Amino acid sequence: MKFSGKQVVFISFMLFSMFFGAGNLIFPPFLGQSAGAHFWTALIGFIVSAVGLPILGVISVAMAGSFNDLNQRVHPVFALVFPFLIYIAIGPGLAIPRAGSLAFEMGVAPFLPEALMESPVSLFIYSILFFGLVTWLCMYPSKLIHLFGKLLTPILLALIAIIFIKSLIDPIGPHGAPKGNYQISPVFQGFLDGYLTMDALAALAFGIVIANTLTAQGVLDNKKRSVYMMYAGLGAGLLLTLIYLILGYLGAASASLGHAENGAIILSNVMTHLFGKSGTLLLGIVFTLACFCVSIGLITSCSQFFSNALPRVTYKIWVLIVAVLSTAIANLGLTQILQISVPILGMIYPIAIVLIFLGLFDNFVKGKRYIYISVIGFVAIFSLIDTVNKTFLGNKWSNAFGILPFYHEGIGWIIPALIGLIVGYLMGMFKGDTSFPEKTA
């Protein structure tokens, strides 16, 4: 079956909505206000990492055939453990409960009386309704292309377009002076800000949803499915870039509204300036819709992964399990979950990045397993020790780690990755070629 251009657009809309959550709304405005007059150069760095890495992740999975095929190039045990950590961390362990909580805080809480706003009962009732509706929609994953492509994404894009057009008609104010590292190296600081969105993990996780959706639409050939996944990744990347430009511009123009501690406050100030009291309602709808879309995408991808890994439990049962866990965590201590999940995310993210690039340049490493094992191994050991240092030892070893280039900027894993590449190549030379068999279409 050959997809039409319209269908490719719908798949791109679907992937965009799965990526674009509350965090993606908050980061660009904060960057814009902090970078001020250097906003455009900072945003270039942000887009390279916040858009480039996730789209490269989709392409890497597409080139390998599936996320599992990519993981199998390292080791069968790695193919079991690493995806499990990713799906737990970005699923019920962090991202899904956070989406439900933020949807309540931004979309409902501002309109409640103070007593109800602070009552745990309000969040409990809302989270049951929110995740109940999400669960119902996740039961029919083959219909997600229509839900996202024809309804939710166009609505979200239209709302953001309205906000942007209003900001052009009624200018907010001039850009302020750049702050902190944005004064010296705005491009690099923007890159680091985008790197911290950690959407590359979601790109690996969402691959299974896009692949299954294409299969349900009649695309059964592996090569064609991979090509359409690449098209969807590029299309979603263009949409993300456009929205980041708009949100970053709004943040940069908000300097005259006063300094804010985070992007949510910046957007609230902007919306109040542009639309008055109704701006709070419009912003609440945007946040709710973004969190809703991300929750659907994450629950679907987690459930499809676990149903494939443990086929005795059906997909629909996994949807219920993930939704119930997410509802419970959203109500029973998200702060504590963040304290556990964020270090885990920081540990596995460098591994995900090097795995993506190994998949992209597989033709150059020629599928040699020693290179995959060595690079992933060195980066995993570094990330594990660094996570223990930051989480349990109060950065006791940071001075020693500081000799690594870019360590204090958050990408100290680059040198271990290069060492692993050299060691893996030499092991292949001395021990012989251990290329894994290529998957046939």
Side-chain angles (χ1 to χ4, degrees), residues 370-432:
Y370 279 130
I371 292 180
Y372 277 84
I373 292 174
S374 182
V375 173
I376 295 294
F378 272 84
V379 172
I381 292 171
F382 168 81
S383 296
L384 176 60
I385 296 174
D386 188 40
T387 299
V388 170
N389 173 53
K390 292 177 178 178
T391 306
F392 301 106
L393 301 180
N395 290 311
K396 182 179 180 181
W397 299 337
S398 292
N399 289 335
F401 280 126
I403 64 174
L404 293 172
F406 305 119
Y407 173 76
H408 294 293
E409 287 78 11
I411 50 177
W413 50 265
I414 288 179
I415 297 302
L418 293 176
I419 293 174
L421 180 63
I422 295 170
V423 171
Y425 178 78
L426 294 176
M427 289 176 64
M429 287 181 60
F430 288 112
K431 293 192 175 184

Side-chain angles (χ1 to χ4, degrees), residues 77-94:
V77 174
F78 179 84
L80 289 175
V81 175
F82 185 61
F84 178 81
L85 291 175
I86 286 182
Y87 282 103
I88 288 296
I90 69 168
L94 172 61

Side-chain angles (χ1 to χ4, degrees), residues 7-67:
Q7 288 172 304
V8 172
V9 170
F10 286 157
I11 287 285
S12 299
F13 277 7
M14 173 181 172
L15 183 57
F16 164 80
S17 289
M18 292 164 65
F19 274 127
F20 194 71
N24 305 82
L25 275 167
I26 292 172
F27 278 112
F30 187 75
L31 176 147
Q33 187 177 87
S34 300
H38 293 168
F39 149 66
W40 292 110
T41 51
L43 197 63
I44 291 174
F46 182 85
I47 289 172
V48 169
S49 56
V51 178
L53 285 177
I55 302 313
L56 290 178
V58 174
I59 294 174
S60 182
V61 170
M63 291 174 62
S66 71
F67 186 29

